[in-house]
Amino acid sequence: MTAVVPPDIDITGVGRSYRGRSRTTDALRDIDLSVARHEFVAFLGPSGCGKSTLLRLMTGLDQPDVGTIRLRGQSPRTFRRTGALGIAFQDPALLPWRSVARNLALPLQVLGRRVRPADQAIRTLLKRVGLDGYEDALPGQLSGGMRQRAALARALVTDPSVLLLDEPFGALDQITRRMLNIELQRIWSSQRITTVLMTHGIDEAAFLADRIVVMHARPGRIARIVDVPFPRPRDPALFGHPDFTAFCEHLMHAMQAPGP
């Protein structure tokens, strides 16, 4: 009998509220979701629907008021301390006084691992994200897209089992964003890291994910979960295919339709 592999991410009954001076805002309510090992799940929704709040809860940077989150059976904080969790945000947050290679080395140094910026593993990872030759460059010398590539490489440097991405390409122009979507798919296909992406980009979610979790706001909640019908690997030409356009229209209607 084949052993059942438990989910890498298990979210059960999660809610989070914030109290202001005059009222309480429900940022999230009744979030239930399991993400299987090697699965790529995108949370899709407009600003204010709780995507970033949920990601912070998944990273252990914040705590839910109710419910539980487990990453491979551990609390997010415990899991993060092992180095098995990679995280990238919309702001690359690279240290401006450290070279690209030294920025990548930082998570390993925090974990107490012996590493040098010139180590082959770091150079190989920079080559994988298209930054070969920029090891010694400072963040201020890079374009926005290159800084996001460096941030993605830094999220991968600890060889994580789970990768959490919060609008990592949201501030980029459409051309650069699409190029990085293609790059991220290539990296995911080669490593099959369990990945959760928070995005408001419909075509981005449709191109990258196995399943798309459509979020509605006030309170932030799951409205629908949609399976992506396109087989892998996905060629960049898919962006212009009529079936892809129709699927993105379907997702748009799902975002706009009244939720449960």
Side-chain angles (χ1 to χ4, degrees):
M1 185 171 62
T2 304
V4 177
V5 178
D8 269 6
I9 303 173
D10 194 17
I11 305 171
T12 306
V14 163
R16 183 71 171 97
S17 299
Y18 296 100
R19 291 182 175 84
R21 291 183 178 180
S22 58
R23 66 174 183 175
T24 298
T25 301
D26 286 333
L28 294 169
R29 181 186 293 173
D30 298 330
I31 304 297
D32 290 286
L33 185 74
S34 292
V35 179
R37 188 158 299 183
H38 307 311
E39 189 176 17
F40 195 125
V41 171
F43 281 77
L44 177 65
S47 298
C49 71
K51 301 188 304 294
S52 293
T53 297
L54 181 58
L55 187 128
R56 285 181 59 82
L57 298 178
M58 294 169 66
T59 63
L61 297 174
D62 194 7
Q63 299 297 311
D65 296 317
V66 296
T68 60
I69 298 177
R70 291 290 180 266
L71 306 182
R72 293 201 173 182
Q74 303 178 52
S75 72
R77 285 183 177 178
T78 300
F79 190 74
R80 190 180 75 231
R81 292 187 187 117
T82 68
L85 180 62
I87 309 168
F89 297 98
Q90 182 170 341
D91 182 350
L94 301 171
L95 297 179
W97 59 88
R98 294 179 71 115
S99 68
V100 170
R102 291 182 66 219
N103 267 284
L104 262 66
L106 185 59
L108 296 169
Q109 293 166 348
V110 169
L111 291 169
R113 302 181 189 178
R114 297 185 65 180
V115 64
R116 298 176 304 160
D119 283 356
Q120 186 59 43
I122 288 180
R123 292 184 178 273
T124 298
L125 188 53
L126 286 172
K127 184 176 182 179
R128 186 178 300 162
V129 300
L131 287 178
D132 189 27
Y134 289 91
E135 296 86 352
D136 299 325
L138 294 174
Q141 298 171 309
L142 305 180
S143 68
M146 293 168 73
R147 287 194 292 272
Q148 285 296 2
R149 289 176 186 267
L152 180 59
R154 183 182 56 192
L156 296 169
V157 75
T158 61
D159 194 22
S161 304
V162 175
L163 180 64
L164 303 180
L165 306 172
D166 188 17
E167 300 276 8
F169 313 135
L172 303 177
D173 64 84
Q174 182 67 20
I175 295 174
T176 303
R177 181 172 185 156
R178 185 158 294 183
M179 289 174 57
L180 290 179
N181 288 165
I182 296 166
E183 189 72 23
L184 177 57
Q185 183 199 225
R186 185 186 63 79
I187 292 170
W188 180 87
S189 297
S190 66
Q191 299 184 241
R192 296 297 302 275
I193 303 170
T194 303
T195 301
V196 170
L197 168 70
M198 305 296 182
T199 182
H200 59 259
I202 294 175
D203 59 344
E204 179 172 78
F207 183 74
L208 289 169
D210 298 309
R211 287 189 296 158
I212 297 173
V213 181
V214 179
M215 298 284 289
H216 284 180
R218 295 184 295 276
R221 65 204 186 279
I222 295 175
R224 288 168 181 79
I225 300 177
V226 182
D227 292 326
V228 178
F230 308 112
R232 296 186 185 276
R234 294 171 187 162
D235 190 276
L238 180 63
F239 282 111
H241 196 281
D243 289 347
F244 186 82
T245 301
F247 182 67
C248 289
E249 285 294 318
H250 170 70
L251 292 173
M252 175 67 78
H253 291 310
M255 290 175 61
Q256 296 173 340

